[in-house]
Amino acid sequence: MITPARELRISTLEQWRALSWRGITSIIKNGEFIFAIVSPLFLAVCFYLPLRSIMETRGIDYAQYLMPVIVLQSIAFTASAAAMRASIDGQKGINTRFRVLPMNATVPTFARLTTNTALLTVSVVFASIICLVIGWRPQGGIVGIVGLYGVAIGVGVIVSLLCDGIGLLSGSPEATSQALALPLLILGMCSTGFVTEDQFPDWIQPFARNQPVSQITNAMRAFDEGDITWYNVGPTVWWCIGLSIFAVIVVVLGNRRVRR
């Protein structure tokens, strides 16, 4: 008598590990790690060198001032890469293949988030090294450093999750690129990350002051300088809560679209 073959069971943890490893090896092979290292270097060169003397005449140590936004722009690169990766998987039909496998629907999302967090960590580390080279020095002590990088990594994970959902919803790399390029450009350039608020025309100063990039850079500077108050950090907490809720909604909608 032939005994029926035992059904192969793979745990959810093993599936997550396998897909996470697939994602990490993919970003190594396609060169995303290299871009994560090079992008903050370009930012430092493009902004620090031409604006340093102007800001120093205003009594501002520009290396200290610029550090948070260089880290945030590196995070933006990671988020854009996350969105593109999700949309490319959808275009290639990989998400459709996952749908027919005996796999929990959340496993691919968490695996992509793990991949994105690995790339985010590399980008933040090298952004910090480049900032150290141009003259940034942490001044907030242990608490300040923990707070500074806690904000950076926390925001990076939230934004990567949001962009992952956008990539699932968009359905194509071209649409994803169009959906992200303009908002990221506007929020980065029209912020107090690169220049002070009074450098903007009066009519746009309220936007430049209150939009998320400005508020997050303010919180990071507060931790870096040891000036930790609710006034400096509170708006970032609320922005993170709001963005987290929005990210979860977008990811849920994206996964529903994939499962159709």
Side-chain angles (χ1 to χ4, degrees):
M1 179 178 179
I2 301 177
T3 304
R6 179 178 296 178
E7 181 182 359
L8 178 62
R9 297 182 182 273
I10 302 177
S11 70
T12 299
L13 179 61
E14 289 297 325
Q15 292 172 336
W16 166 77
R17 288 176 57 184
L19 291 182
S20 298
W21 181 246
R22 165 188 172 269
I24 291 172
T25 54
S26 174
I27 62 177
I28 292 173
K29 291 177 180 178
N30 64 23
E32 287 183 58
F33 267 124
I34 302 300
F35 283 109
I37 296 169
V38 172
S39 59
L41 176 61
F42 282 144
L43 281 169
V45 171
C46 291
F47 287 94
Y48 179 73
L49 293 181
L51 295 178
R52 177 186 59 178
S53 59
I54 297 174
M55 299 297 283
E56 287 180 351
T57 60
R58 302 169 60 87
I60 297 174
D61 184 341
Y62 198 46
Q64 293 292 135
Y65 188 86
L66 195 63
M67 184 271 181
V69 80
I70 289 179
V71 172
L72 285 183
Q73 289 295 313
S74 301
I75 290 170
F77 160 77
T78 304
S80 299
M84 294 298 291
R85 202 175 306 111
S87 63
I88 289 172
D89 280 356
Q91 188 181 56
K92 290 181 177 179
I94 293 174
N95 293 326
T96 303
R97 298 175 196 172
F98 290 157
R99 187 178 60 186
V100 300
L101 294 175
M103 177 187 297
N104 189 296
T106 62
V107 170
T109 299
F110 280 105
R112 288 194 303 271
L113 184 60
T114 302
T115 302
N116 297 334
T117 303
L119 186 62
L120 167 68
T121 303
V122 171
S123 187
V124 169
V125 167
F126 278 92
S128 301
I129 292 172
I130 290 164
C131 289
L132 286 169
V133 170
I134 65 175
W136 168 72
R137 296 295 181 269
Q139 300 175 348
I142 299 298
V143 173
I145 292 175
V146 171
L148 172 69
Y149 287 105
V151 171
I153 297 298
V155 169
V157 170
I158 293 168
V159 175
S160 293
L161 185 64
L162 172 60
C163 289
D164 181 77
I166 292 172
L168 293 175
L169 281 174
S170 66
S172 72
E174 294 79 10
T176 301
S177 177
Q178 294 171 3
L180 292 178
L182 190 58
L184 291 177
L185 179 62
I186 292 174
L187 290 176
M189 300 306 298
C190 295
S191 76
T192 57
F194 295 106
V195 295
T196 55
E197 179 187 337
D198 58 7
Q199 296 295 300
F200 291 94
D202 292 341
W203 61 271
I204 202 174
Q205 284 184 11
F207 173 78
R209 178 176 61 251
N210 295 302
Q211 56 112 323
V213 172
S214 296
Q215 294 294 340
I216 293 167
T217 55
N218 288 342
M220 292 174 69
R221 290 190 189 110
F223 279 111
D224 190 35
E225 296 168 1
D227 184 21
I228 307 168
T229 64
W230 181 252
Y231 177 81
N232 292 327
V233 177
T236 294
V237 174
W238 291 116
W239 272 114
C240 286
I241 292 172
L243 286 172
S244 297
I245 295 171
F246 186 47
V248 171
I249 293 172
V250 172
V251 169
V252 169
L253 292 175
N255 280 314
R256 285 183 179 177
R257 181 184 184 278
V258 167
R259 290 196 296 268
R260 288 177 183 173

Coordinates of all heavy atoms in Angstrom, one line a residue, residues 90-152:
G90 N 4.4 43.8 -9.0 CA 3.0 43.7 -9.6 C 3.0 43.6 -11.1 O 2.3 42.8 -11.6
Q91 N 3.9 44.4 -11.7 CA 3.9 44.3 -13.2 C 4.4 42.9 -13.7 O 4.0 42.4 -14.7 CB 4.9 45.4 -13.7 CG 4.9 45.6 -15.2 CD 5.8 46.7 -15.7 OE1 7.0 46.7 -15.3 NE2 5.3 47.7 -16.4
K92 N 5.3 42.3 -13.0 CA 5.9 41.0 -13.3 C 5.0 39.9 -13.0 O 5.3 38.7 -13.3 CB 7.3 40.8 -12.7 CG 8.4 41.7 -13.3 CD 9.7 41.4 -12.6 CE 10.8 42.2 -13.2 NZ 12.1 42.0 -12.5
G93 N 3.9 40.2 -12.2 CA 3.0 39.1 -11.8 C 3.4 38.3 -10.6 O 2.8 37.3 -10.3
I94 N 4.4 38.8 -9.9 CA 4.9 38.1 -8.7 C 3.9 38.1 -7.6 O 3.7 37.1 -7.0 CB 6.2 38.7 -8.2 CG1 7.3 38.5 -9.3 CG2 6.6 38.2 -6.9 CD1 8.6 39.2 -9.0
N95 N 3.2 39.2 -7.5 CA 2.1 39.3 -6.4 C 1.0 38.3 -6.8 O 0.4 37.7 -5.9 CB 1.6 40.7 -6.3 CG 2.6 41.7 -5.8 OD1 3.4 41.3 -5.0 ND2 2.6 42.9 -6.3
T96 N 0.7 38.1 -8.0 CA -0.3 37.2 -8.4 C 0.1 35.7 -8.1 O -0.7 34.9 -7.6 CB -0.6 37.3 -9.9 OG1 -1.0 38.6 -10.3 CG2 -1.7 36.3 -10.4
R97 N 1.4 35.4 -8.3 CA 1.9 34.1 -7.9 C 1.8 33.9 -6.4 O 1.4 32.8 -5.9 CB 3.3 33.9 -8.3 CG 3.5 34.0 -9.8 CD 5.0 34.0 -10.2 NE 5.3 34.5 -11.5 CZ 6.5 34.7 -12.0 NH1 7.5 34.5 -11.3 NH2 6.6 35.1 -13.3
F98 N 2.1 34.9 -5.6 CA 2.0 34.8 -4.2 C 0.5 34.5 -3.7 O 0.3 33.8 -2.8 CB 2.5 36.1 -3.5 CG 3.9 36.3 -3.6 CD1 4.5 37.6 -3.4 CD2 4.8 35.2 -3.7 CE1 5.8 37.8 -3.5 CE2 6.2 35.4 -3.8 CZ 6.7 36.7 -3.7
R99 N -0.4 35.1 -4.5 CA -1.8 34.9 -4.1 C -2.3 33.5 -4.2 O -3.2 33.1 -3.4 CB -2.7 35.8 -5.0 CG -4.1 35.9 -4.7 CD -4.8 36.9 -5.6 NE -4.8 36.4 -7.0 CZ -5.2 37.1 -8.0 NH1 -5.7 38.3 -7.9 NH2 -5.1 36.6 -9.3
V100 N -1.7 32.7 -5.1 CA -2.2 31.3 -5.2 C -1.4 30.3 -4.3 O -1.7 29.2 -4.3 CB -2.1 30.9 -6.7 CG1 -3.0 31.8 -7.6 CG2 -0.7 30.9 -7.2
L101 N -0.4 30.9 -3.6 CA 0.3 30.0 -2.7 C -0.3 29.9 -1.3 O -1.1 30.9 -0.9 CB 1.8 30.6 -2.6 CG 2.7 30.5 -3.8 CD1 4.0 31.2 -3.5 CD2 2.9 29.1 -4.3
P102 N -0.1 28.9 -0.6 CA -0.6 28.8 0.8 C 0.2 29.7 1.7 O 1.0 29.3 2.5 CB -0.4 27.3 1.2 CG 0.8 26.9 0.3 CD 0.7 27.6 -1.0
M103 N 0.0 31.0 1.6 CA 0.7 32.0 2.3 C -0.2 33.1 2.9 O -1.1 33.5 2.2 CB 1.7 32.7 1.3 CG 2.6 33.8 1.9 SD 3.5 34.6 0.6 CE 4.6 33.3 0.0
N104 N 0.1 33.5 4.1 CA -0.6 34.6 4.7 C -0.5 35.8 3.8 O 0.6 36.1 3.4 CB -0.2 34.8 6.1 CG -1.0 35.8 6.9 OD1 -1.1 37.0 6.5 ND2 -1.6 35.3 7.9
A105 N -1.5 36.5 3.6 CA -1.5 37.7 2.7 C -0.6 38.8 3.2 O -0.1 39.6 2.4 CB -2.9 38.2 2.5
T106 N -0.3 38.8 4.5 CA 0.6 39.9 5.0 C 2.1 39.6 4.9 O 2.9 40.5 5.1 CB 0.3 40.1 6.5 OG1 0.6 38.9 7.3 CG2 -1.2 40.5 6.7
V107 N 2.4 38.4 4.6 CA 3.8 38.0 4.5 C 4.6 38.8 3.5 O 5.7 39.3 3.8 CB 4.0 36.5 4.3 CG1 5.5 36.1 4.0 CG2 3.5 35.7 5.5
P108 N 4.1 38.9 2.2 CA 4.9 39.7 1.3 C 5.1 41.2 1.7 O 6.2 41.8 1.5 CB 4.1 39.6 0.0 CG 3.3 38.4 0.1 CD 3.0 38.3 1.6
T109 N 4.1 41.8 2.3 CA 4.2 43.1 2.8 C 5.3 43.3 3.8 O 6.1 44.2 3.8 CB 2.8 43.6 3.3 OG1 1.9 43.6 2.3 CG2 2.9 45.1 3.9
F110 N 5.3 42.4 4.8 CA 6.3 42.5 5.9 C 7.7 42.1 5.4 O 8.6 42.7 5.9 CB 5.9 41.5 7.0 CG 4.9 42.1 8.0 CD1 3.5 41.6 7.9 CD2 5.2 43.1 8.9 CE1 2.6 42.2 8.8 CE2 4.2 43.7 9.7 CZ 2.9 43.2 9.7
A111 N 7.7 41.3 4.4 CA 9.0 40.9 3.8 C 9.6 42.2 3.0 O 10.8 42.5 3.1 CB 8.9 39.8 2.8
R112 N 8.7 42.9 2.3 CA 9.2 44.1 1.6 C 9.6 45.2 2.6 O 10.5 45.9 2.4 CB 8.1 44.6 0.7 CG 7.9 43.8 -0.6 CD 7.0 44.5 -1.6 NE 5.7 44.9 -1.1 CZ 4.6 44.2 -1.1 NH1 4.7 43.0 -1.7 NH2 3.5 44.6 -0.6
L113 N 8.8 45.2 3.7 CA 9.2 46.2 4.8 C 10.5 45.9 5.4 O 11.3 46.8 5.7 CB 8.1 46.2 5.8 CG 8.2 47.3 7.0 CD1 8.2 48.7 6.4 CD2 7.1 47.1 8.0
T114 N 10.8 44.6 5.6 CA 12.1 44.2 6.1 C 13.2 44.7 5.1 O 14.3 45.2 5.5 CB 12.2 42.7 6.3 OG1 11.2 42.3 7.2 CG2 13.5 42.3 6.9
T115 N 13.0 44.4 3.8 CA 14.0 44.8 2.8 C 14.2 46.3 2.8 O 15.3 46.8 2.8 CB 13.5 44.4 1.4 OG1 13.4 42.9 1.4 CG2 14.5 44.8 0.3
N116 N 13.1 47.1 2.9 CA 13.1 48.5 2.9 C 13.9 49.0 4.1 O 14.6 50.0 4.0 CB 11.7 49.1 2.8 CG 11.0 48.7 1.5 OD1 11.6 48.5 0.5 ND2 9.7 48.7 1.6
T117 N 13.6 48.4 5.2 CA 14.3 48.8 6.5 C 15.8 48.6 6.4 O 16.6 49.4 6.9 CB 13.7 48.1 7.7 OG1 12.3 48.3 7.7 CG2 14.4 48.6 9.0
A118 N 16.2 47.5 5.8 CA 17.7 47.2 5.6 C 18.3 48.3 4.7 O 19.4 48.8 5.0 CB 17.9 45.9 4.9
L119 N 17.6 48.7 3.6 CA 18.1 49.7 2.7 C 18.1 51.1 3.4 O 19.1 51.9 3.3 CB 17.3 49.8 1.4 CG 17.8 50.7 0.4 CD1 19.2 50.3 -0.1 CD2 16.8 50.8 -0.8
L120 N 17.1 51.3 4.2 CA 17.0 52.6 5.0 C 18.1 52.7 6.0 O 18.7 53.8 6.1 CB 15.6 52.6 5.7 CG 15.4 53.6 6.8 CD1 15.4 55.0 6.2 CD2 14.2 53.3 7.7
T121 N 18.5 51.6 6.6 CA 19.6 51.6 7.6 C 20.9 52.0 7.0 O 21.6 52.8 7.4 CB 19.7 50.3 8.3 OG1 18.4 50.0 9.0 CG2 20.8 50.3 9.4
V122 N 21.1 51.3 5.8 CA 22.4 51.6 5.1 C 22.4 53.1 4.7 O 23.4 53.8 4.8 CB 22.5 50.7 3.8 CG1 23.6 51.2 2.9 CG2 22.7 49.3 4.2
S123 N 21.3 53.6 4.2 CA 21.2 55.0 3.7 C 21.5 56.0 4.8 O 22.2 57.0 4.7 CB 19.9 55.3 3.0 OG 19.9 56.5 2.4
V124 N 20.8 55.7 6.0 CA 21.0 56.6 7.1 C 22.4 56.6 7.7 O 23.0 57.6 8.0 CB 20.0 56.3 8.2 CG1 20.3 57.0 9.5 CG2 18.6 56.6 7.8
V125 N 23.0 55.4 7.7 CA 24.4 55.3 8.2 C 25.3 56.1 7.4 O 26.2 56.9 7.9 CB 24.8 53.8 8.3 CG1 26.3 53.7 8.5 CG2 24.1 53.1 9.4
F126 N 25.2 55.9 6.0 CA 26.2 56.6 5.2 C 25.9 58.1 5.1 O 26.8 58.9 4.9 CB 26.2 56.0 3.8 CG 27.0 54.8 3.7 CD1 26.5 53.5 3.9 CD2 28.4 54.9 3.4 CE1 27.3 52.4 3.9 CE2 29.2 53.8 3.4 CZ 28.7 52.5 3.6
A127 N 24.6 58.5 5.2 CA 24.3 59.9 5.3 C 24.9 60.6 6.5 O 25.4 61.7 6.5 CB 22.8 60.1 5.3
S128 N 24.9 59.8 7.6 CA 25.5 60.3 8.9 C 27.0 60.5 8.7 O 27.7 61.4 9.2 CB 25.2 59.4 10.0 OG 23.8 59.3 10.2
I129 N 27.7 59.5 8.0 CA 29.1 59.6 7.8 C 29.5 60.8 7.0 O 30.4 61.5 7.3 CB 29.6 58.2 7.1 CG1 29.5 57.1 8.1 CG2 31.1 58.4 6.7 CD1 29.7 55.7 7.5
I130 N 28.7 61.0 5.9 CA 29.0 62.2 5.1 C 28.8 63.5 5.8 O 29.5 64.4 5.7 CB 28.1 62.1 3.8 CG1 28.5 60.9 2.9 CG2 28.1 63.4 3.0 CD1 27.5 60.5 1.9
C131 N 27.7 63.5 6.7 CA 27.5 64.7 7.5 C 28.7 64.9 8.5 O 29.1 66.1 8.7 CB 26.2 64.6 8.3 SG 24.8 64.7 7.2
L132 N 29.2 63.9 9.0 CA 30.4 64.0 9.9 C 31.6 64.5 9.1 O 32.4 65.4 9.6 CB 30.8 62.6 10.5 CG 29.8 62.1 11.6 CD1 30.2 60.7 11.9 CD2 30.0 63.0 12.9
V133 N 31.7 64.1 7.9 CA 32.9 64.6 7.0 C 32.8 66.1 6.8 O 33.8 66.8 6.8 CB 32.9 63.8 5.7 CG1 33.9 64.5 4.8 CG2 33.3 62.4 6.0
I134 N 31.5 66.6 6.5 CA 31.4 68.0 6.2 C 31.4 68.9 7.5 O 31.4 70.1 7.4 CB 30.1 68.3 5.4 CG1 28.9 68.0 6.2 CG2 30.2 67.5 4.1 CD1 27.6 68.4 5.4
G135 N 31.4 68.3 8.7 CA 31.5 69.1 9.9 C 30.4 68.9 10.9 O 30.5 69.6 12.0
W136 N 29.4 68.1 10.7 CA 28.4 67.9 11.7 C 28.9 67.1 12.9 O 29.7 66.2 12.7 CB 27.2 67.1 11.1 CG 26.2 66.6 12.2 CD1 25.4 67.4 12.9 CD2 26.1 65.2 12.6 NE1 24.7 66.6 13.8 CE2 25.1 65.3 13.6 CE3 26.7 64.0 12.3 CZ2 24.7 64.1 14.3 CZ3 26.3 62.9 12.9 CH2 25.3 62.9 13.9
R137 N 28.5 67.5 14.1 CA 28.9 66.8 15.3 C 27.7 66.7 16.2 O 27.0 67.7 16.5 CB 30.0 67.5 16.1 CG 31.3 67.6 15.3 CD 32.0 66.2 15.1 NE 33.2 66.3 14.4 CZ 33.4 66.3 13.1 NH1 32.3 66.1 12.3 NH2 34.6 66.3 12.5
P138 N 27.4 65.5 16.7 CA 26.2 65.4 17.6 C 26.5 66.1 18.9 O 27.5 66.0 19.5 CB 26.1 63.8 17.8 CG 27.5 63.3 17.4 CD 28.0 64.2 16.4
Q139 N 25.5 66.9 19.3 CA 25.6 67.7 20.5 C 24.6 67.5 21.6 O 24.6 68.1 22.6 CB 25.5 69.2 20.1 CG 26.6 69.6 19.1 CD 26.4 71.0 18.6 OE1 25.3 71.6 18.8 NE2 27.4 71.6 17.9
G140 N 23.7 66.5 21.4 CA 22.6 66.3 22.4 C 22.9 65.1 23.3 O 21.9 64.8 24.1
G141 N 24.1 64.6 23.3 CA 24.4 63.5 24.2 C 23.7 62.2 23.8 O 23.2 62.1 22.7
I142 N 23.7 61.2 24.7 CA 23.1 59.9 24.4 C 21.6 60.0 24.0 O 21.1 59.4 23.1 CB 23.3 58.9 25.5 CG1 24.8 58.7 25.7 CG2 22.7 57.6 25.2 CD1 25.6 58.1 24.6
V143 N 20.9 60.7 24.9 CA 19.5 60.9 24.7 C 19.2 61.6 23.3 O 18.3 61.2 22.6 CB 18.8 61.7 25.8 CG1 17.4 62.0 25.5 CG2 18.9 61.0 27.1
G144 N 20.0 62.6 23.0 CA 19.8 63.3 21.8 C 20.1 62.4 20.6 O 19.3 62.4 19.6
I145 N 21.1 61.6 20.6 CA 21.4 60.7 19.5 C 20.3 59.7 19.3 O 19.9 59.4 18.2 CB 22.8 60.0 19.7 CG1 23.9 61.0 19.7 CG2 23.0 58.9 18.7 CD1 25.3 60.5 20.0
V146 N 19.9 59.1 20.4 CA 18.8 58.1 20.4 C 17.6 58.7 19.8 O 16.9 58.1 18.9 CB 18.5 57.5 21.7 CG1 17.3 56.6 21.7 CG2 19.7 56.7 22.2
G147 N 17.2 59.9 20.2 CA 16.0 60.6 19.7 C 16.2 60.9 18.3 O 15.2 60.8 17.5
L148 N 17.3 61.4 17.9 CA 17.6 61.8 16.5 C 17.4 60.7 15.5 O 16.6 60.8 14.5 CB 19.0 62.4 16.4 CG 19.5 62.7 15.0 CD1 18.8 63.9 14.4 CD2 21.0 63.0 15.0
Y149 N 18.0 59.5 15.8 CA 17.9 58.4 14.9 C 16.6 57.6 15.1 O 16.2 57.0 14.2 CB 19.2 57.5 15.1 CG 20.4 58.1 14.5 CD1 21.4 58.7 15.3 CD2 20.5 58.2 13.1 CE1 22.5 59.3 14.8 CE2 21.7 58.8 12.6 CZ 22.6 59.3 13.4 OH 23.7 59.9 12.8
G150 N 16.0 57.8 16.3 CA 14.7 57.2 16.5 C 13.7 57.8 15.6 O 12.9 57.2 14.9
V151 N 13.7 59.2 15.5 CA 12.9 59.9 14.6 C 13.2 59.5 13.1 O 12.2 59.2 12.4 CB 13.0 61.4 14.8 CG1 12.3 62.2 13.7 CG2 12.5 61.8 16.1
A152 N 14.4 59.5 12.8 CA 14.8 59.2 11.4 C 14.4 57.8 11.0 O 13.7 57.7 9.9 CB 16.3 59.3 11.2

